[in-house]
Amino acid sequence: MSKRRSGQDLNGVILRRTPNYGDVRQQGWCVFCGVHQPDSRDHVPSRVFLDDPLPEALSTVPACRECNVSFSEDEEYVACLIECAAVGSVQSINRDKIRRILQHSPALSRRLEMAFHDQNGQLIIDAEAKRVNRVLVKLAQGHTAFDLNEPRLDEPSGVYWAPLSSLTSEVRQHFETPPESSIMPEVGSRASLVVEQFPGASIWISVQQGRYRYVTSVGDQIVIRIVIGEYLAGEVIW
């Protein structure tokens, strides 16, 4: 684990409003499909993963409405899956936002209930991996576009995720240690401004404490690590 620095909470640097001063030519198309003109803005991370009131500094990226809408059901599924898995039940939900989604979507509630199994006293969850992968890649695309000003439209070389509690101490330490960036991020991007404040390493950024944090690294590979709800750890690599 990296040492705590001034201006950091326990989960990393607290998110501040940071305009993207990177090359505007990278913002002329939907950052998710690269085909359609951006006629909407998509929040990074998606609001369903955060509690109200939302952070004032929540960033957005250009997106077409088709992509913006197409991710909604998968994002709701993943947000509800994480919350239900964290409490071990589909019924005892603490977060108002997730409870409302499940109340308004009985089909999703039943789907999650069917995914929970008791196996010799241990809770087993059959998560829909394709949906989790799709959401993590979408979140990572948002961070590469806004934080690094390097939109990625190609398939990542790796997508990995698991509950934080399931990681061994060695794997957890590796995951929590921000990867070094061997290449300076584009001048004007959020990452370059963070480097100015905290030179020498990538830094975890806390969007909302306990709900969402992430770190970006650029070099031979682009690495995006994400923690949602202090439950799900994800890593996307290009």
Side-chain angles (χ1 to χ4, degrees), residues 5 178-182 184-185 191 194-203:
R5 305 175 186 223
E180 295 290 336
S181 291
S182 59
M184 284 293 293
V194 170
V195 167
E196 290 177 10
Q197 287 183 285
F198 303 98
S202 300
I203 299 294

Side-chain angles (χ1 to χ4, degrees), residues 22-31 62 145 148-151 186:
D23 191 339
V24 295
R25 290 174 296 181
Q26 300 277 38
Q27 304 173 38
W29 60 82
C30 172
V31 300
L148 304 177
N149 213 62
E150 294 190 24
E186 181 178 332

Side-chain angles (χ1 to χ4, degrees), residues 43-145:
H43 289 90
V44 184
S46 313
R47 291 175 292 180
V48 71
F49 297 115
L50 306 174
D51 287 332
D52 296 324
L54 297 173
E56 294 182 2
L58 192 57
S59 56
T60 63
V61 292
C64 68
R65 293 188 186 279
E66 184 175 345
C67 285
N68 217 336
V69 171
S70 69
F71 286 108
S72 296
E73 288 189 3
D74 287 340
E75 289 171 332
E76 287 190 349
Y77 168 82
V78 172
C80 292
L81 173 71
I82 290 172
E83 189 64 22
C84 292
V87 301
S89 168
V90 180
Q91 307 301 328
S92 306
I93 304 301
N94 297 319
R95 290 185 64 206
D96 290 339
K97 183 176 291 186
I98 301 303
R99 189 165 54 246
R100 289 195 300 269
I101 291 173
L102 293 173
Q103 288 173 347
H104 294 153
S105 181
L108 174 58
S109 182
R110 288 193 298 270
R111 193 169 191 140
L112 289 170
E113 285 179 346
M114 292 175 62
F116 282 59
H117 307 284
D118 185 283
Q119 184 173 314
N120 300 322
Q122 182 178 4
L123 179 64
I124 304 297
I125 305 171
D126 295 328
E128 297 178 33
K130 288 184 178 180
R131 301 184 81 175
V132 179
N133 282 15
R134 188 167 184 256
V135 169
L136 286 175
V137 171
K138 184 255 188 180
L139 292 169
Q141 283 180 300
H143 291 309
T144 61

